[in-house]
Amino acid sequence: MAAAVAAGIRRRLTAGAALAFFYTRAALASFYARAAFVSFYASAPLAAQAQDAIVRGRVLDAETGAPLAGATVLIRDTPLRATTRPDGGFAIPSPSDGAYTLIVVADGFRASERRIEPEASGELSILLERRLFDVPELTVTANRSAARPGEAPVSVAVMSGDELGNRDIVTLDEALPFAQGVIFNSGQMDIRGATGLARGVGSRVLMLLDGHRVLSGVGASIDFSGLPVLDVDQIEIVKGPHSTLWGTNALGGVVNVITKRPSAAPETIVRGYFGLFDTPARHSFTDERLSREGIALQHSRRLGDVGTTLYVAREESDGFRQNGALERWRVRLKTVFPAESANPWEIFVNWTRKDEEEFFTWLSADRPLEVDPTELGDWIRSDDLVLGVTANPIVTPKHRVQIRPHIYHARNQNYFHDNEDFHRSTRIGTDVQWSLFPNRSHALTIGAEGAFTGVTSNFLAPSPDVTDLALFAQDEITFSDRVRGSVGLRLDYHNASAAMEDRFVNPKLGIVYEASDRLSLRGSLSRGYRAPSVSEQFTSTTQFGFRVIPNLELRGESAWAREVGATVHVSDRVWLDAGLFWSDYTDLIEPSPAPNNVFVFQFRNVAEAMVRGVDAGLRIGVIPTRLDLNANYTFLDTRDDRTGRALPYRSRHNFTATASGWRGAVAVDFRHRSRVEQVLAFPLDERSAINLVDLRVRAQILGTRVQAKIENLFQTTYVDVQERSPGPTRSFRLTVTPRF
């Protein structure tokens, strides 16, 4: 049904929504202009003030004494931060109101905290100890500001850029299933059982790129092919409803892809790969060898005080099943200035073009890799252009103002045997955030968001324009050295022309108790919200024999969530994180039979549901530098309150593990999902557990990284959660990545 996603010609907003949007845009424009004015005329006095009280130091590897470049240095409970230079040196303004805590974080090292007295002088020397495995040390997504994960009252999982490189991935969705609490259902991302499966329509996970929303304007879905891979610094996954700070779609969680700054010295990376699909003889449908290949070029350098990264890639694949071919172009440009600033301005542009054949369902159980002959040649062309700006016009020891305007333009055209539906959408929005640190006990975040989405299509009835407005605030409270809390509130307004308006209030309460340096306890109560997507409200089309009609009375869905959790550093070799969660969902949106119609469907608010469970992550340095073990487990207990049965497309037991040797030179990945208890269609089809094993090896040859990967090593035949959709067959891939 997702392939039927489309949107419609623009129409006028209601008078109230139009006025609200107009005055919000005017206010934001005025605020931006004043902030720029203040920033320009205040920059000289602020710089002079910073020169009067500067903390200087060097960050070094405790084992070798080598300088650590790119480490983050920040002062707790202030917006002040710096990044170490190639010689490990840093300079950061010092608060003028007494002693403070300096925090230093670097990938692969244990974070350091140091209490600095106001009378301290001289250059600091900070030694960081290496970790045996990666664990999250610093995040910005959970609180909209830099913080240690143990200081946030919600569960956070982090994947580093190094881990992504070691996993030899083509797109991020190949790595994310190995993040704690993350599950994938036939390519659709789910966190803690919130999502199920909706064929790409209306994601309950909010995807961000450097803090900017990157959900499509019509389907509000995630396209992983448009997200960067080579210059990712880390991926932060905030689990559970988190709409208080980030708004709609954060019903199950928030994923923020944070990219690296352009390198100081010119650097060129070339990445080429070639792979083959190994089709089982009993399911073979062609005499041709099925392959996939791609090449990417990334160049990063500084020109004066401006850093720039340019990425260009082309990929193509025959796919492992009939009518599964793909051809894709990706271009990305990121610019940062001033390059040495701790709070630079950033601009990025992403463009993706994808031509992809459509596999809807298999021909028969004994021919699972083939499609109905009438569907051969069905394909989709999509173009996505994303522009984002992050501006920091005001940064002082007590204040920080950040502005994030963005534009997301998407074009989608079906070339199907039974329709040529299309849509065009453009979302223009702005996020304004003011962080205020009045004293060491409070850290306030106050902000507003406004966005307008215009849509053109040939099969929406009627054709909508969409306005989203929001105000939010959060106070992080320090009760003592070991107890921290947070309280937040967000007001959301959503209006799609000709449909019902939505207004939601999303509060949040949280508390963290750091019992010791090795144990942190957390608890939270929050509300999440997701507005219906354009495709859910307005689609009117026929595809694959199904008639879909609009539902102008569709409302947003929401959830109340509770969580308690703990993070334990059992020893230098063992790290454990676990969370117990319980979410109650109201007005869940699902495709359902339309009232008084036969074989006609529409999206409806049909479900009141409960999802509870446990997600846990374990990291063990079994043999230092020789053998590491990472394991994640998610248990789900779900109930549809209408029927008393489990929610569809959820597995009770979800387990992933990676055993890696010699710092990732050799690795084995394992994935397990127990049998899905409920599905929406074909309930009599056989369903079974899924067990998959991948093998990876890596070597450095003449300065070039060479990787080989076998996916689905044991040629497991399975249904990929969605009925009558086969999972990928075994495949082989060789990747070569030289750097210059």
Side-chain angles (χ1 to χ4, degrees):
M1 214 172 288
V5 171
I9 323 170
R10 297 179 55 185
R11 290 194 176 181
R12 293 177 300 170
L13 294 168
T14 61
L19 285 172
F21 182 70
F22 174 82
Y23 284 117
T24 299
R25 281 199 305 178
L28 292 178
S30 173
F31 180 88
Y32 185 90
R34 292 179 184 180
F37 179 88
V38 171
S39 176
F40 179 80
Y41 284 100
S43 59
L46 286 175
Q49 174 187 335
Q51 290 296 327
D52 291 338
I54 294 288
V55 180
R56 303 181 189 277
R58 295 185 72 207
V59 180
L60 307 172
D61 184 329
E63 181 180 343
T64 65
L68 296 178
T72 299
V73 182
L74 56 90
I75 297 176
R76 186 194 293 277
D77 299 325
T78 77
L80 302 174
R81 59 187 299 171
T83 302
T84 56
R85 302 184 299 269
D87 65 352
F90 68 87
I92 186 170
S94 170
S96 58
D97 53 350
Y100 55 90
T101 300
L102 193 73
I103 300 174
V104 183
V105 178
D107 289 343
F109 291 83
R110 188 185 309 280
S112 171
E113 294 192 14
R114 180 175 296 190
R115 188 73 170 172
I116 307 295
E117 298 298 330
E119 65 273 10
S121 61
E123 185 176 89
L124 300 174
S125 181
I126 300 174
L127 303 179
L128 298 188
E129 298 178 355
R130 284 190 176 274
R131 282 197 177 277
L132 298 179
F133 42 77
D134 284 338
V135 295
E137 290 286 9
L138 190 69
T139 68
V140 297
T141 310
N143 291 329
R144 274 186 175 254
S145 61
R148 304 283 302 281
E151 298 172 355
V154 295
S155 292
V156 181
V158 175
M159 299 189 79
S160 68
D162 288 342
E163 180 178 354
L164 298 178
N166 289 339
R167 290 192 175 277
D168 187 18
I169 61 171
V170 176
T171 52
L172 295 183
D173 53 326
E174 295 180 19
L176 285 169
F178 294 94
Q180 182 184 340
V182 175
I183 305 165
F184 270 76
N185 304 319
S186 194
Q188 184 164 348
M189 190 175 185
D190 178 19
I191 297 178
R192 290 181 167 179
T195 297
L197 180 68
R199 286 189 61 85
V201 178
S203 173
R204 292 184 184 132
V205 175
L206 174 60
M207 180 63 71
L208 304 174
L209 177 57
D210 289 327
H212 296 265
R213 296 176 62 91
V214 283
L215 296 181
S216 63
V218 174
S221 59
I222 302 171
D223 182 6
F224 289 98
S225 65
L227 296 172
V229 173
L230 287 185
D231 69 336
V232 174
D233 185 33
Q234 68 179 27
I235 302 176
E236 300 177 1
I237 301 112
V238 183
K239 293 171 282 186
H242 208 58
S243 294
T244 303
L245 288 180
W246 295 105
T248 181
N249 294 99
L251 196 66
V254 180
V255 178
N256 192 6
V257 180
I258 301 171
T259 59
K260 298 177 182 177
R261 289 193 186 188
S263 58
E267 180 185 54
T268 299
I269 303 173
V270 180
R271 185 175 189 267
Y273 70 85
F274 178 79
L276 295 172
F277 295 101
D278 182 18
T279 306
R282 65 185 183 280
H283 295 152
S284 180
F285 58 88
T286 179
D287 294 331
E288 298 181 3
R289 187 180 296 274
L290 302 176
S291 65
R292 62 188 303 192
E293 59 190 44
I295 187 166
L297 173 67
Q298 178 172 292
H299 181 72
S300 181
R301 69 183 304 124
R302 283 188 190 168
L303 297 173
D305 208 17
V306 177
T308 300
T309 297
L310 175 64
Y311 171 88
V312 180
R314 186 185 185 280
E315 298 151 299
E316 61 180 30
S317 172
D318 297 320
F320 66 92
R321 54 193 180 185
Q322 193 177 42
N323 220 61
L326 167 71
E327 184 176 320
R328 178 170 57 215
W329 280 93
R330 292 192 276 186
V331 178
R332 169 175 165 79
L333 177 66
K334 177 178 179 178
T335 298
V336 175
F337 58 92
E340 294 287 351
S341 171
N343 296 280
W345 291 38
E346 300 181 359
I347 302 173
F348 73 83
V349 179
N350 281 15
W351 174 76
T352 306
R353 162 164 286 186
K354 181 170 59 174
D355 293 341
E356 183 176 24
E357 293 183 337
E358 174 73 9
F359 184 102
F360 183 73
T361 187
W362 67 34
L363 182 60
S364 64
D366 59 343
R367 300 171 69 180
L369 301 181
E370 301 177 56
V371 297
D372 188 298
T374 61
E375 298 173 13
L376 276 176
D378 285 2
W379 65 286
I380 303 171
R381 166 166 287 181
S382 57
D383 291 271
D384 293 85
L385 178 67
V386 185
L387 169 65
V389 178
T390 299
N392 294 284
I394 300 175
V395 180
T396 75
K398 294 292 186 181
H399 304 272
R400 180 183 182 186
V401 174
Q402 189 169 75
I403 305 171
R404 293 192 186 100
H406 72 271
I407 300 174
Y408 191 137
H409 178 71
R411 302 166 62 91
N412 185 286
Q413 174 71 62
N414 292 352
Y415 296 94
F416 292 170
H417 68 282
D418 57 355
N419 77 72
E420 291 195 355
D421 293 340
F422 73 90
H423 70 73
R424 315 280 185 266
S425 67
T426 301
R427 175 187 170 95
I428 303 174
T430 301
D431 173 319
V432 180
Q433 174 183 326
W434 176 28
S435 299
L436 171 65
F437 301 83
N439 53 54
R440 299 294 172 83
S441 298
H442 294 271
L444 299 173
T445 300
I446 303 170
E449 290 186 45
F452 173 80
T453 304
V455 180
T456 302
S457 177
N458 67 335
F459 64 94
L460 295 186
S463 301
D465 290 332
V466 181
T467 299
D468 290 287
L469 303 171
L471 298 172
F472 61 87
Q474 176 179 269
D475 185 11
E476 298 170 62
I477 308 167
T478 301
F479 296 105
S480 70
D481 289 342
R482 296 196 178 276
V483 181
R484 301 171 69 92
S486 68
V487 56
L489 184 70
R490 183 184 179 101
L491 308 177
D492 276 288
Y493 169 81
H494 172 83
N495 178 66
S497 53
M500 300 181 66
E501 297 179 351
D502 263 342
R503 295 178 177 85
F504 272 86
V505 179
N506 300 307
K508 179 186 79 169
L509 291 171
I511 192 165
V512 176
Y513 172 53
E514 296 185 69
S516 69
D517 292 340
R518 293 186 176 271
L519 173 62
S520 174
L521 305 175
R522 62 183 179 271
S524 64
L525 170 68
S526 61
R527 190 185 195 211
Y529 156 70
R530 184 179 77 85
S533 68
V534 170
S535 55
E536 289 171 322
Q537 282 190 303
F538 298 97
T539 294
S540 177
T541 190
T542 298
Q543 189 174 344
F544 303 110
F546 293 96
R547 176 65 181 163
V548 184
I549 62 175
N551 182 3
L552 301 185
E553 297 181 356
L554 192 66
R555 304 296 302 271
E557 52 189 15
S558 62
W560 281 101
R562 287 82 76 192
E563 177 190 354
V564 292
T567 301
V568 187
H569 296 264
V570 180
S571 70
D572 290 342
R573 294 191 181 187
V574 181
W575 177 90
L576 173 66
D577 180 85
L580 174 66
F581 57 90
W582 184 312
S583 300
D584 292 311
Y585 294 88
T586 302
D587 293 329
L588 282 181
I589 300 171
E590 291 184 1
S592 302
N596 305 317
N597 285 277
V598 179
F599 301 119
V600 177
F601 294 83
Q602 65 180 181
F603 288 91
R604 300 179 60 82
N605 298 111
V606 295
E608 311 291 318
M610 177 274 295
V611 177
R612 62 187 176 187
V614 176
D615 88 67
L618 177 67
R619 308 288 182 265
I620 303 177
V622 182
I623 304 174
T625 72
R626 293 290 184 270
L627 179 61
D628 297 334
L629 176 65
N630 296 350
N632 301 303
Y633 172 68
T634 302
F635 169 78
L636 296 176
D637 178 24
T638 69
R639 184 185 70 238
D640 185 329
D641 291 343
R642 300 168 303 168
T643 64
R645 297 196 298 263
L647 290 172
Y649 305 113
R650 276 79 165 181
S651 297
R652 290 179 70 86
H653 304 284
N654 306 268
F655 177 76
T656 65
T658 296
S660 58
W662 293 274
R663 297 192 181 277
V666 179
V668 177
D669 302 318
F670 174 70
R671 286 169 284 169
H672 166 79
R673 287 191 61 156
S674 61
R675 178 181 181 273
V676 172
E677 297 180 40
Q678 299 291 333
V679 295
L680 290 179
F682 310 115
L684 300 181
D685 282 8
E686 182 180 353
R687 300 191 296 276
S688 61
I690 301 173
N691 295 287
L692 299 172
V693 177
D694 302 338
L695 175 64
R696 297 180 275 121
V697 295
R698 187 191 75 221
Q700 200 77 9
I701 302 175
L702 299 176
T704 296
R705 171 179 282 196
V706 179
Q707 296 170 282
K709 186 174 185 178
I710 305 176
E711 297 177 293
N712 194 357
L713 178 65
F714 298 114
Q715 194 64 286
T716 300
T717 301
Y718 64 101
V719 173
D720 191 12
V721 183
Q722 180 185 329
E723 308 94 311
R724 304 186 178 184
S725 178
T729 61
R730 180 165 54 205
S731 64
F732 307 88
R733 185 164 74 239
L734 179 68
T735 304
V736 179
T737 311
R739 293 173 179 262
F740 308 97

